[in-house]
Amino acid sequence: MTLWWIGNLVLLVVVAPVVVFLLRGVLLAAHSVRKALDDIGGVGTAMVSDLAPVPELLKTKQYVGQTKDGLARYGGALDKIL
């Protein structure tokens, strides 16, 4: 019976504080991960607004193609003149 009480005392004095210390470290790490995820979410939201003009690139591509065709015709005309 005495060994039982000694074992309980060792459990309370040695093992319990170690478990609490490790649990505290895990909880702090989880909170830091949560903060990092919140920061990533904010950046992702801002990035979406930065990508709003991307559909206009299709028009730009069309205009570049028209300009290229016009320059090719102009170059062909210069070849005939010179």
Side-chain angles (χ1 to χ4, degrees):
M1 188 70 163
T2 305
L3 290 177
W4 178 259
W5 286 106
I6 292 172
N8 286 338
L9 185 63
V10 168
L11 181 69
L12 286 175
V13 173
V14 176
V15 176
V18 170
V19 169
V20 169
F21 176 76
L22 293 175
L23 181 61
R24 182 177 177 271
V26 169
L27 290 175
L28 288 175
H31 286 295
S32 69
V33 168
R34 176 62 184 239
K35 183 176 177 347
L37 288 176
D38 290 340
D39 293 344
I40 290 170
V43 170
T45 303
M47 186 176 70
V48 168
S49 66
D50 290 342
L51 295 176
V54 169
E56 297 295 320
L57 290 175
L58 294 174
K59 289 182 186 176
T60 304
K61 182 179 177 183
Q62 179 185 4
Y63 294 148
V64 167
Q66 292 172 355
T67 304
K68 181 184 77 165
D69 294 340
L71 285 174
R73 286 194 311 264
Y74 180 74
L78 281 179
D79 284 340
K80 289 182 183 178
I81 292 173
L82 299 175

